[in-house]
Amino acid sequence: MFKELIVVLFLIVSIGFAKGIDKNSSKDLNSSDKNSSNYEKSNIQKAIENEKKFEKEQKFYMGEDYNLSQHKVDQKTIDKVKAIEPEYDFDITDVYAD
């Protein structure tokens, strides 16, 4: 009886702790990315306007008809992407050990 109570208590505490971490991390993301979310919303709005224009015209465009300069990626957006560092600590010697 005592063991089950400890297990249930541990599960409740761990679930509560996990939910608290999720809330804190989402608050940090929301507070730091307000400018980028506005930037994304404006880009989405521009894309929607372009799609409405294409729907209205109903024309197949050829390569020379496209203005590809409007699809260039902003360097500020690229700088915000975090680099993923590789993990070099993998040791294959224990993988095939019997």
XYZ file of all heavy atoms in Angstrom:
801
model
N 0.824 -1.185 0.000
C 0.000 0.000 0.000
C 0.872 1.255 0.000
O 0.595 2.195 -0.726
C -0.920 -0.048 1.237
C -1.721 1.191 1.466
S -3.126 1.188 0.376
C -3.915 2.654 0.860
N 1.904 1.238 0.821
C 2.794 2.397 0.921
C 3.569 2.602 -0.377
O 3.758 3.733 -0.817
C 3.755 2.197 2.101
C 4.634 3.385 2.344
C 4.102 4.581 2.819
C 5.980 3.318 2.080
C 4.915 5.678 3.038
C 6.801 4.412 2.287
C 6.261 5.592 2.769
N 3.979 1.522 -1.031
C 4.736 1.621 -2.287
C 3.869 2.220 -3.391
O 4.336 3.035 -4.177
C 5.247 0.251 -2.720
C 6.350 -0.285 -1.853
C 6.822 -1.624 -2.350
C 7.918 -2.171 -1.453
N 8.369 -3.494 -1.883
N 2.611 1.801 -3.466
C 1.707 2.340 -4.489
C 1.474 3.836 -4.271
O 1.404 4.612 -5.218
C 0.357 1.611 -4.488
C 0.430 0.191 -4.984
C 0.644 -0.811 -3.853
O 0.573 -0.407 -2.667
O 0.901 -1.972 -4.156
N 1.363 4.223 -3.009
C 1.156 5.631 -2.696
C 2.363 6.470 -3.121
O 2.212 7.556 -3.700
C 0.892 5.805 -1.198
C 0.624 7.230 -0.714
C -0.646 7.761 -1.354
C 0.529 7.272 0.796
N 3.551 5.963 -2.897
C 4.764 6.674 -3.298
C 4.854 6.770 -4.819
O 5.199 7.813 -5.364
C 6.015 5.983 -2.704
C 6.035 6.191 -1.195
C 7.287 6.529 -3.343
C 7.161 5.494 -0.498
N 4.512 5.681 -5.502
C 4.564 5.691 -6.969
C 3.565 6.706 -7.528
O 3.890 7.494 -8.425
C 4.297 4.269 -7.530
C 4.093 4.315 -9.030
C 5.432 3.345 -7.169
N 2.349 6.716 -7.001
C 1.326 7.657 -7.477
C 1.756 9.089 -7.176
O 1.623 9.979 -8.016
C -0.042 7.331 -6.835
C -1.046 8.438 -7.123
C -0.559 6.005 -7.341
N 2.287 9.323 -5.991
C 2.757 10.657 -5.636
C 3.896 11.110 -6.550
O 3.925 12.248 -7.018
C 3.210 10.681 -4.173
C 3.641 12.027 -3.620
C 2.471 12.991 -3.644
C 4.176 11.865 -2.217
N 4.816 10.201 -6.842
C 5.918 10.505 -7.746
C 5.407 10.857 -9.144
O 5.879 11.809 -9.773
C 6.881 9.319 -7.823
C 8.005 9.522 -8.780
C 9.051 10.385 -8.485
C 8.025 8.869 -10.008
C 10.090 10.583 -9.363
C 9.055 9.063 -10.898
C 10.092 9.921 -10.576
N 4.428 10.114 -9.649
C 3.867 10.406 -10.972
C 3.191 11.769 -11.002
O 3.347 12.531 -11.957
C 2.882 9.310 -11.379
C 3.489 7.963 -11.746
C 2.387 6.945 -11.985
C 4.371 8.092 -12.968
N 2.443 12.082 -9.951
C 1.745 13.376 -9.908
C 2.750 14.526 -9.883
O 2.601 15.514 -10.620
C 0.803 13.435 -8.693
C -0.366 12.475 -8.899
C 0.284 14.851 -8.468
C -1.243 12.293 -7.686
N 3.792 14.401 -9.069
C 4.801 15.453 -8.985
C 5.549 15.601 -10.301
O 5.792 16.711 -10.778
C 5.779 15.164 -7.813
C 6.969 16.091 -7.866
C 5.059 15.289 -6.488
N 5.904 14.484 -10.935
C 6.661 14.566 -12.189
C 5.821 15.159 -13.310
O 6.319 15.937 -14.127
C 7.208 13.195 -12.577
O 6.137 12.296 -12.817
N 4.541 14.815 -13.369
C 3.662 15.391 -14.403
C 3.494 16.895 -14.166
O 3.549 17.694 -15.094
C 2.301 14.669 -14.427
C 2.475 13.248 -14.974
C 1.283 15.438 -15.252
C 1.240 12.386 -14.857
N 3.306 17.287 -12.911
C 3.186 18.709 -12.593
C 4.446 19.472 -12.928
O 4.400 20.586 -13.447
N 5.589 18.874 -12.639
C 6.862 19.502 -12.964
C 7.032 19.650 -14.470
O 7.471 20.683 -14.959
C 8.005 18.672 -12.375
C 9.359 19.280 -12.577
C 9.727 20.429 -11.908
C 10.267 18.704 -13.452
C 10.970 20.997 -12.096
C 11.510 19.258 -13.639
C 11.869 20.402 -12.964
N 6.653 18.623 -15.226
C 6.775 18.676 -16.685
C 5.871 19.753 -17.263
O 6.258 20.478 -18.183
C 6.442 17.318 -17.287
N 4.682 19.887 -16.751
C 3.778 20.933 -17.243
C 4.327 22.316 -16.922
O 4.193 23.240 -17.712
C 2.382 20.760 -16.651
C 1.628 19.599 -17.243
C 0.228 19.529 -16.716
C -0.524 18.384 -17.352
N -1.890 18.279 -16.874
N 4.945 22.470 -15.767
C 5.545 23.749 -15.395
C 6.684 24.119 -16.315
O 6.851 25.274 -16.684
N 7.480 23.145 -16.713
C 8.586 23.401 -17.643
C 8.047 23.827 -18.999
O 8.557 24.752 -19.616
C 9.479 22.150 -17.772
C 10.260 21.925 -16.481
C 10.436 22.289 -18.941
C 11.046 20.647 -16.462
N 6.992 23.173 -19.481
C 6.410 23.536 -20.769
C 5.889 24.965 -20.754
O 6.074 25.711 -21.700
C 5.274 22.581 -21.138
C 5.772 21.203 -21.510
O 6.983 21.088 -21.819
O 4.968 20.257 -21.493
N 5.244 25.367 -19.665
C 4.713 26.728 -19.589
C 5.828 27.749 -19.580
O 5.748 28.774 -20.236
C 3.837 26.882 -18.342
C 2.523 26.155 -18.434
C 1.713 26.333 -17.185
C 0.412 25.553 -17.262
N -0.358 25.637 -16.026
N 6.889 27.471 -18.829
C 8.004 28.418 -18.766
C 8.708 28.539 -20.100
O 9.071 29.622 -20.523
C 9.011 27.989 -17.691
C 8.453 28.151 -16.297
O 7.521 28.915 -16.088
N 9.005 27.413 -15.355
N 8.911 27.416 -20.777
C 9.614 27.475 -22.056
C 8.780 28.183 -23.110
O 9.311 28.910 -23.937
C 9.997 26.074 -22.523
O 8.833 25.296 -22.759
N 7.465 27.990 -23.094
C 6.628 28.678 -24.074
C 6.580 30.174 -23.796
O 6.517 30.980 -24.701
C 5.223 28.087 -24.091
O 4.569 28.319 -22.867
N 6.637 30.576 -22.501
C 6.666 32.002 -22.185
C 7.951 32.637 -22.686
O 7.937 33.740 -23.216
C 6.548 32.209 -20.674
C 5.174 31.969 -20.122
C 5.153 32.184 -18.618
C 3.805 31.836 -18.032
N 3.808 31.956 -16.564
N 9.078 31.940 -22.513
C 10.348 32.471 -22.993
C 10.334 32.629 -24.502
O 10.807 33.625 -25.028
C 11.501 31.554 -22.590
C 11.724 31.542 -21.083
O 11.253 32.489 -20.418
O 12.361 30.592 -20.602
N 9.790 31.638 -25.204
C 9.745 31.733 -26.661
C 8.836 32.860 -27.108
O 9.157 33.608 -28.023
C 9.249 30.404 -27.259
C 10.208 29.230 -27.167
C 9.520 27.970 -27.670
C 11.465 29.502 -27.957
N 7.692 33.008 -26.443
C 6.763 34.055 -26.831
C 7.333 35.437 -26.559
O 7.155 36.347 -27.354
C 5.427 33.879 -26.091
C 4.653 32.688 -26.583
O 4.857 32.223 -27.696
N 3.777 32.173 -25.751
N 8.018 35.622 -25.449
C 8.530 36.946 -25.131
C 9.703 37.327 -26.019
O 9.853 38.483 -26.389
C 8.952 36.997 -23.666
O 10.017 36.102 -23.434
N 10.555 36.370 -26.385
C 11.728 36.699 -27.184
C 11.440 36.776 -28.676
O 12.213 37.377 -29.417
C 12.840 35.679 -26.930
O 12.426 34.417 -27.398
N 10.364 36.185 -29.123
C 10.103 36.124 -30.556
C 8.905 36.961 -30.985
O 8.290 36.670 -32.001
C 9.875 34.673 -30.982
C 11.132 33.844 -30.893
O 12.219 34.447 -30.927
O 11.028 32.621 -30.816
N 8.574 38.005 -30.237
C 7.438 38.837 -30.636
C 7.709 39.529 -31.959
O 6.841 39.598 -32.816
C 7.121 39.862 -29.550
C 6.447 39.259 -28.349
C 6.059 40.313 -27.347
C 5.370 39.660 -26.167
N 4.992 40.641 -25.156
N 8.922 40.026 -32.128
C 9.262 40.703 -33.380
C 9.284 39.715 -34.535
O 8.812 40.020 -35.628
C 10.618 41.401 -33.255
C 10.557 42.569 -32.294
O 9.494 43.124 -32.062
N 11.696 42.918 -31.733
N 9.840 38.532 -34.311
C 9.911 37.559 -35.393
C 8.522 37.032 -35.735
O 8.249 36.728 -36.897
C 10.846 36.411 -35.037
O 10.342 35.688 -33.934
N 7.624 36.924 -34.749
C 6.275 36.455 -35.060
C 5.535 37.502 -35.884
O 4.771 37.148 -36.787
C 5.505 36.123 -33.786
O 5.272 37.284 -33.033
N 5.752 38.794 -35.594
C 5.150 39.840 -36.423
C 5.714 39.796 -37.834
O 4.992 40.001 -38.810
C 5.391 41.217 -35.807
C 4.611 41.414 -34.535
O 3.599 40.751 -34.311
N 5.076 42.319 -33.697
N 7.013 39.529 -37.924
C 7.662 39.420 -39.232
C 7.094 38.235 -40.007
O 6.800 38.349 -41.199
C 9.168 39.265 -39.018
C 9.983 39.181 -40.275
C 10.175 40.303 -41.068
C 10.555 37.977 -40.686
C 10.925 40.235 -42.219
C 11.298 37.905 -41.833
C 11.488 39.032 -42.597
O 12.222 38.950 -43.742
N 6.893 37.116 -39.324
C 6.324 35.938 -39.971
C 4.890 36.198 -40.409
O 4.485 35.795 -41.496
C 6.371 34.745 -39.022
C 7.766 34.229 -38.770
C 7.819 33.196 -37.671
O 6.762 32.865 -37.103
O 8.920 32.729 -37.376
N 4.121 36.876 -39.567
C 2.730 37.182 -39.916
C 2.665 38.067 -41.146
O 1.802 37.874 -42.008
C 2.022 37.848 -38.742
C 1.703 36.897 -37.623
C 1.024 37.606 -36.474
C 0.770 36.661 -35.330
N 0.155 37.318 -34.176
N 3.591 39.041 -41.236
C 3.575 39.914 -42.412
C 3.962 39.125 -43.660
O 3.392 39.346 -44.734
C 4.500 41.102 -42.213
O 5.851 40.679 -42.142
N 4.907 38.189 -43.525
C 5.282 37.365 -44.672
C 4.141 36.455 -45.096
O 3.911 36.253 -46.295
C 6.516 36.522 -44.351
C 7.780 37.333 -44.386
O 7.805 38.424 -44.945
N 8.834 36.815 -43.788
N 3.438 35.905 -44.127
C 2.285 35.052 -44.452
C 1.218 35.873 -45.149
O 0.613 35.417 -46.125
C 1.742 34.387 -43.176
C 2.744 33.346 -42.666
C 0.389 33.748 -43.423
C 2.400 32.779 -41.311
N 0.984 37.084 -44.676
C -0.019 37.952 -45.299
C 0.368 38.277 -46.744
O -0.487 38.283 -47.632
C -0.194 39.240 -44.477
C -1.377 40.066 -44.895
C -2.688 39.326 -44.697
O -2.836 38.533 -43.781
N -3.624 39.571 -45.579
N 1.649 38.532 -46.986
C 2.111 38.794 -48.354
C 1.899 37.576 -49.241
O 1.479 37.704 -50.399
C 3.591 39.163 -48.350
C 3.879 40.533 -47.790
C 5.375 40.791 -47.772
C 5.721 42.067 -47.036
N 7.178 42.272 -46.943
N 2.182 36.396 -48.722
C 1.995 35.171 -49.502
C 0.523 34.954 -49.821
O 0.174 34.532 -50.934
C 2.561 33.969 -48.742
N -0.355 35.248 -48.875
C -1.797 35.116 -49.111
C -2.250 36.082 -50.198
O -3.045 35.713 -51.082
C -2.573 35.341 -47.800
C -2.336 34.171 -46.847
C -4.065 35.524 -48.056
C -2.893 34.382 -45.449
N -1.737 37.298 -50.165
C -2.093 38.272 -51.202
C -1.619 37.815 -52.580
O -2.343 37.963 -53.576
C -1.492 39.628 -50.857
C -2.138 40.290 -49.652
C -1.393 41.534 -49.191
O -0.426 41.941 -49.863
O -1.789 42.088 -48.152
N -0.401 37.245 -52.636
C 0.090 36.729 -53.913
C -0.779 35.588 -54.421
O -1.080 35.513 -55.620
C 1.539 36.255 -53.776
C 2.516 37.398 -53.725
O 2.213 38.507 -54.153
N 3.696 37.142 -53.186
N -1.193 34.700 -53.530
C -2.047 33.587 -53.935
C -3.398 34.085 -54.440
O -3.952 33.539 -55.399
C -2.242 32.605 -52.774
C -1.009 31.820 -52.420
C -0.553 30.916 -53.547
O -1.394 30.379 -54.278
O 0.669 30.773 -53.703
N -3.930 35.122 -53.827
C -5.193 35.697 -54.301
C -5.022 36.279 -55.702
O -5.906 36.143 -56.549
C -5.682 36.772 -53.331
C -6.236 36.211 -52.045
C -6.716 37.319 -51.123
C -7.232 36.754 -49.817
N -7.655 37.806 -48.890
N -3.859 36.911 -55.929
C -3.587 37.467 -57.255
C -3.506 36.350 -58.293
O -4.098 36.444 -59.371
C -2.277 38.259 -57.225
C -1.915 38.887 -58.570
C -0.590 39.602 -58.500
C 0.497 38.593 -58.765
N 1.818 39.146 -58.982
N -2.809 35.264 -57.961
C -2.680 34.150 -58.896
C -4.028 33.484 -59.149
O -4.333 33.067 -60.266
C -1.691 33.116 -58.370
C -0.285 33.642 -58.207
C 0.534 33.157 -57.219
C 0.219 34.624 -59.052
C 1.826 33.630 -57.059
C 1.507 35.109 -58.910
C 2.307 34.609 -57.909
N -4.853 33.403 -58.095
C -6.182 32.803 -58.260
C -7.046 33.653 -59.182
O -7.785 33.142 -60.021
C -6.845 32.677 -56.886
C -8.254 32.107 -56.938
C -8.921 32.126 -55.581
O -8.478 32.870 -54.686
O -9.910 31.394 -55.427
N -6.931 34.958 -59.062
C -7.731 35.883 -59.873
C -7.308 35.820 -61.343
O -8.142 35.785 -62.238
C -7.556 37.295 -59.324
C -8.440 38.332 -59.939
C -8.204 39.665 -59.236
C -9.143 40.729 -59.701
N -8.875 42.007 -59.035
N -5.989 35.790 -61.582
C -5.485 35.789 -62.955
C -5.661 34.437 -63.624
O -5.884 34.364 -64.826
C -4.007 36.169 -62.961
C -3.753 37.593 -62.543
C -2.282 37.921 -62.457
O -1.457 37.016 -62.684
O -1.953 39.068 -62.153
N -5.543 33.358 -62.893
C -5.621 31.993 -63.402
C -4.766 31.832 -64.653
O -5.251 31.538 -65.742
C -7.068 31.587 -63.659
C -7.842 31.453 -62.384
C -9.102 30.641 -62.565
O -9.419 30.197 -63.648
N -9.820 30.459 -61.480
N -3.485 32.030 -64.470
C -2.536 31.977 -65.564
C -1.346 31.133 -65.132
O -0.938 31.160 -63.979
C -2.065 33.397 -65.894
C -0.953 33.491 -66.872
C -0.510 34.934 -67.044
C 0.750 34.984 -67.870
N 1.304 36.319 -67.950
N -0.812 30.360 -66.053
C 0.400 29.609 -65.780
C 1.587 30.498 -66.107
O 1.702 31.019 -67.210
C 0.462 28.327 -66.613
C -0.526 27.296 -66.163
C -1.690 27.084 -66.880
C -0.298 26.553 -65.026
C -2.602 26.142 -66.467
C -1.194 25.606 -64.607
C -2.365 25.398 -65.333
N 2.456 30.670 -65.136
C 3.598 31.545 -65.312
C 4.801 30.763 -65.801
O 5.029 29.626 -65.399
C 3.952 32.237 -63.994
C 2.965 33.311 -63.613
C 1.867 33.009 -62.831
C 3.138 34.606 -64.044
C 0.968 33.984 -62.482
C 2.243 35.593 -63.698
C 1.158 35.278 -62.912
O 0.270 36.253 -62.576
N 5.592 31.386 -66.635
C 6.846 30.802 -67.104
C 7.976 31.368 -66.245
O 7.783 32.276 -65.451
C 7.071 31.142 -68.585
C 5.968 30.644 -69.511
S 5.648 28.895 -69.374
C 7.119 28.243 -70.104
N 9.172 30.851 -66.421
C 10.310 31.253 -65.607
C 10.611 32.729 -65.658
O 10.928 33.346 -64.645
N 10.530 33.326 -66.819
C 10.859 34.751 -66.932
C 9.777 35.644 -66.321
O 10.003 36.827 -66.078
C 11.106 35.142 -68.393
C 9.913 34.975 -69.308
C 9.843 33.608 -69.973
O 10.695 32.755 -69.701
O 8.913 33.402 -70.763
N 8.605 35.090 -66.050
C 7.530 35.877 -65.451
C 7.674 36.026 -63.940
O 7.023 36.866 -63.333
C 6.172 35.224 -65.740
C 5.854 35.207 -67.222
O 6.338 36.113 -67.934
O 5.144 34.294 -67.673
N 8.494 35.210 -63.329
C 8.649 35.235 -61.873
C 9.684 36.263 -61.432
O 10.726 36.409 -62.053
C 9.078 33.866 -61.345
C 7.960 32.863 -61.327
C 7.891 31.864 -62.270
C 6.985 32.911 -60.349
C 6.867 30.935 -62.253
C 5.963 32.000 -60.308
C 5.906 31.007 -61.264
O 4.896 30.098 -61.241
N 9.370 36.933 -60.354
C 10.312 37.834 -59.712
C 10.880 37.087 -58.506
O 10.291 37.083 -57.422
C 9.621 39.123 -59.268
C 10.576 40.080 -58.602
O 11.782 39.890 -58.619
N 10.023 41.127 -57.994
N 12.008 36.420 -58.672
C 12.557 35.588 -57.617
C 13.257 36.387 -56.526
O 13.550 35.855 -55.461
C 13.528 34.559 -58.216
C 12.888 33.572 -59.188
C 13.939 32.635 -59.744
C 11.774 32.796 -58.522
N 13.504 37.660 -56.767
C 14.156 38.467 -55.741
C 13.258 38.660 -54.523
O 13.750 38.883 -53.419
C 14.566 39.824 -56.299
O 13.416 40.543 -56.690
N 11.960 38.568 -54.689
C 11.062 38.729 -53.548
C 11.081 37.514 -52.631
O 10.618 37.584 -51.497
C 9.642 38.997 -54.012
C 8.962 37.818 -54.681
C 7.569 38.173 -55.161
O 7.139 39.302 -55.036
N 6.880 37.202 -55.714
N 11.645 36.397 -53.076
C 11.705 35.189 -52.259
C 13.062 34.986 -51.606
O 13.311 33.915 -51.051
C 11.359 33.961 -53.110
C 9.964 34.007 -53.647
N 8.856 33.852 -52.852
C 9.498 34.211 -54.899
C 7.770 33.956 -53.589
N 8.124 34.173 -54.834
N 13.910 35.990 -51.658
C 15.207 35.869 -51.014
C 15.019 35.845 -49.499
O 14.148 36.511 -48.957
C 16.124 37.031 -51.400
C 16.609 36.953 -52.819
C 17.590 38.062 -53.106
C 18.074 37.956 -54.545
N 18.983 39.050 -54.871
N 15.853 35.063 -48.828
C 15.762 34.921 -47.374
C 16.536 36.058 -46.721
O 17.660 36.372 -47.119
C 16.338 33.560 -46.937
C 16.294 33.421 -45.430
C 15.571 32.430 -47.602
N 15.926 36.660 -45.719
C 16.551 37.752 -44.992
C 17.661 37.205 -44.099
O 17.492 36.195 -43.419
C 15.504 38.462 -44.142
C 16.034 39.726 -43.511
O 17.094 40.209 -43.952
O 15.374 40.241 -42.587
N 18.809 37.844 -44.095
C 19.954 37.386 -43.309
C 19.646 37.419 -41.813
O 20.151 36.602 -41.056
C 21.186 38.239 -43.623
C 22.457 37.739 -42.993
C 22.872 36.374 -43.523
O 22.651 36.055 -44.680
N 23.468 35.574 -42.670
N 18.801 38.345 -41.362
C 18.430 38.420 -39.943
C 17.720 37.142 -39.503
O 17.925 36.658 -38.391
C 17.526 39.615 -39.693
C 18.199 40.946 -39.891
C 17.199 42.068 -39.689
C 17.797 43.400 -40.053
N 16.818 44.487 -39.967
N 16.891 36.595 -40.385
C 16.183 35.365 -40.067
C 17.147 34.200 -39.958
O 17.010 33.354 -39.078
C 15.138 35.057 -41.151
O 14.373 36.227 -41.412
C 14.211 33.947 -40.722
N 18.135 34.142 -40.818
C 19.118 33.057 -40.787
C 19.969 33.146 -39.531
O 20.298 32.125 -38.924
C 20.002 33.104 -42.050
C 19.151 32.817 -43.287
C 21.143 32.104 -41.957
C 19.877 33.008 -44.578
N 20.308 34.353 -39.099
C 21.135 34.528 -37.910
C 20.428 34.059 -36.642
O 21.074 33.691 -35.666
C 21.550 35.987 -37.756
C 22.499 36.423 -38.858
O 23.143 35.546 -39.465
O 22.586 37.648 -39.111
N 19.092 34.067 -36.627
C 18.339 33.643 -35.448
C 18.310 32.126 -35.288
O 18.000 31.634 -34.205
C 16.908 34.166 -35.511
C 16.819 35.661 -35.334
C 15.387 36.114 -35.375
C 15.308 37.624 -35.243
N 13.934 38.106 -35.316
N 18.615 31.370 -36.331
C 18.585 29.914 -36.252
C 19.791 29.436 -35.454
O 20.930 29.800 -35.734
C 18.601 29.286 -37.674
C 18.662 27.775 -37.594
C 17.385 29.740 -38.451
N 19.514 28.615 -34.447
C 20.582 28.116 -33.597
C 21.296 26.957 -34.290
O 20.657 26.095 -34.881
C 20.021 27.640 -32.265
C 19.421 28.752 -31.447
C 18.864 28.230 -30.151
C 18.204 29.351 -29.370
N 17.593 28.859 -28.138
N 22.618 26.960 -34.194
C 23.413 25.886 -34.787
C 23.316 24.649 -33.910
O 23.359 24.728 -32.685
C 24.867 26.321 -34.920
N 23.172 23.503 -34.546
C 23.114 22.245 -33.827
C 24.511 21.648 -33.822
O 25.076 21.340 -34.878
C 22.119 21.277 -34.493
C 20.720 21.877 -34.481
C 22.140 19.933 -33.789
C 19.707 21.071 -35.261
N 25.054 21.510 -32.626
C 26.394 20.960 -32.501
C 26.328 19.438 -32.512
O 25.514 18.842 -31.810
C 27.041 21.434 -31.196
C 27.235 22.930 -31.120
C 28.210 23.445 -32.159
O 29.173 22.731 -32.479
O 27.998 24.566 -32.656
N 27.170 18.783 -33.294
C 27.153 17.320 -33.324
C 27.738 16.734 -32.046
O 28.581 17.352 -31.393
C 28.046 16.983 -34.528
C 28.910 18.173 -34.700
C 28.113 19.360 -34.232
N 27.265 15.545 -31.704
C 27.787 14.851 -30.534
C 28.832 13.850 -31.004
O 28.535 12.927 -31.751
C 26.660 14.145 -29.802
C 25.632 15.102 -29.243
C 24.492 14.376 -28.545
O 24.590 13.159 -28.346
O 23.517 15.043 -28.232
N 30.050 14.040 -30.576
C 31.142 13.188 -31.015
C 31.479 12.103 -30.001
O 32.520 11.488 -30.081
C 32.403 14.032 -31.264
C 32.245 14.985 -32.423
C 32.235 16.360 -32.205
C 32.105 14.522 -33.721
C 32.090 17.242 -33.257
C 31.962 15.403 -34.771
C 31.955 16.751 -34.538
O 31.818 17.630 -35.578
N 30.606 11.850 -29.040
C 30.928 10.898 -27.991
C 30.389 9.491 -28.259
O 30.364 8.661 -27.363
C 30.406 11.405 -26.650
C 28.901 11.573 -26.641
O 28.302 11.565 -27.722
O 28.340 11.729 -25.544
N 29.966 9.192 -29.462
C 29.432 7.873 -29.778
C 30.569 6.871 -29.932
O 31.538 7.099 -30.647
C 28.614 7.927 -31.074
C 28.019 6.605 -31.445
C 26.963 6.080 -30.730
C 28.524 5.871 -32.508
C 26.421 4.868 -31.066
C 27.979 4.658 -32.852
C 26.921 4.157 -32.128
N 30.436 5.755 -29.229
C 31.441 4.690 -29.268
C 30.768 3.429 -29.794
O 29.870 2.881 -29.167
C 32.018 4.455 -27.886
C 33.172 3.477 -27.913
O 33.694 3.203 -29.021
O 33.552 2.983 -26.844
N 31.200 2.945 -30.960
C 30.559 1.814 -31.610
C 31.042 0.460 -31.059
O 30.475 -0.574 -31.379
C 30.761 1.888 -33.146
C 29.766 1.015 -33.862
C 32.193 1.501 -33.493
C 29.642 1.292 -35.331
N 32.052 0.463 -30.222
C 32.613 -0.809 -29.768
C 31.619 -1.628 -28.950
O 31.643 -2.848 -28.996
C 33.873 -0.575 -28.906
O 33.533 0.291 -27.833
C 34.983 0.046 -29.745
N 30.717 -0.987 -28.236
C 29.748 -1.723 -27.417
C 28.469 -2.065 -28.168
O 27.615 -2.776 -27.630
C 29.386 -0.886 -26.183
C 30.565 -0.687 -25.272
O 31.458 -1.563 -25.280
O 30.599 0.337 -24.563
N 28.315 -1.616 -29.389
C 27.086 -1.865 -30.137
C 26.932 -3.335 -30.482
O 25.872 -3.924 -30.350
C 27.039 -0.988 -31.402
C 25.834 -1.343 -32.253
C 27.004 0.473 -31.030
N 27.991 -3.965 -30.936
C 27.918 -5.359 -31.376
C 28.481 -6.330 -30.349
O 28.750 -7.478 -30.662
C 28.668 -5.514 -32.698
C 28.022 -4.727 -33.825
C 28.603 -3.578 -34.321
C 26.802 -5.112 -34.348
C 28.008 -2.846 -35.324
C 26.197 -4.391 -35.348
C 26.807 -3.262 -35.842
O 26.215 -2.546 -36.828
N 28.659 -5.894 -29.127
C 29.192 -6.774 -28.088
C 28.140 -7.797 -27.694
O 26.975 -7.485 -27.511
C 29.624 -5.963 -26.885
N 28.548 -9.037 -27.578
C 27.595 -10.103 -27.183
C 27.655 -10.373 -25.721
O 28.552 -10.384 -25.035
C 27.884 -11.383 -27.962
C 27.433 -11.235 -29.411
O 26.464 -10.505 -29.646
O 28.027 -11.884 -30.262
